[in-house]
Amino acid sequence: DTAVSQTPKYLVTQMGNDKSIKCEQNLGHDTMYWYKQDSKKFLKIMFSYNNKELIINETVPNRFSPKSPDKAHLNLHINSLELGDSAVYFCASSHLGAANEKLFFGSGTQLSVL
Amino acid sequence: GDSVTQMEGPVTLSEEAFLTINCTYTATGYPSLFWYVQYPGEGLQLLLKATKADDKGSNKGFEATYRKETTSFHLEKGSVQVSDSAVYFCALRTLTGGGNKLTFGTGTQLKVEL
């Protein structure tokens, strides 16, 4: 069974469109994250939710809106897509707990904005 | 703020060569330190971790020692294999008021050739 699954794996769309990426984890974790990986492989956290509550919100444009219907799901909706949004988006989960808790990552969604 | 600096890649080695990937960090408080590995087309996986000074993390022949005096967590392996080809990320994690987040370095690509 896949621990952290995100869909779709690939997403190609036009500028100005609105799109969503879904993420689900079956590990019983209470915290979920979205990370963005750019073309140079640099990874940066975007959001984190703990028990459906937003706890980390980095400097991300308002066009990005995370939604957590329950603690096993964290979806990412992006409005008015721009060329610079092209990247690989990774969902992850963990227990909030101690700082040595490891993150479990999904396999990524490659977003290409044309 | 917290930051992680890794050596630039790509690093190209012959099979059975010795590997070192340098990592230094800046953090307030006492971070936990991690190495994650990303194989092509996959999400990140935890490779090893260390939670306090002088701890040594090890896994699959890889090792890294938490050096507080030099704020470093260099990754080493005595004899690399072709299957070790991947991107390696150094990361730190500290507890913050609103939760804990993982701060990544820029990643170092390793290519191992026969």
Side-chain angles (χ1 to χ4, degrees), chain A residues 10 27 37-39 46 57 76 84 109:
Chain A
Y10 300 97
L27 297 167
Q37 186 177 47
D38 64 22
S39 59
M46 301 173 69
N57 184 358
L76 183 65
T109 295

Side-chain angles (χ1 to χ4, degrees), chain B residues 39-82:
Chain B
Y39 297 103
E42 298 183 13
L44 280 72
Q45 305 170 28
L46 179 68
L47 180 59
L48 53 86
K49 68 179 182 183
T51 58
K52 61 183 188 298
D54 300 325
D55 269 3
K56 178 186 280 188
S58 61
N59 185 28
K60 299 181 182 179
F62 291 89
E63 293 183 341
T65 301
Y66 189 143
R67 301 285 188 202
K68 190 178 175 187
E69 63 277 11
T70 54
T71 62
S72 65
F73 192 55
H74 305 321
L75 183 68
E76 296 182 336
K77 186 175 185 182
S79 175
V80 294
Q81 306 299 313
V82 172

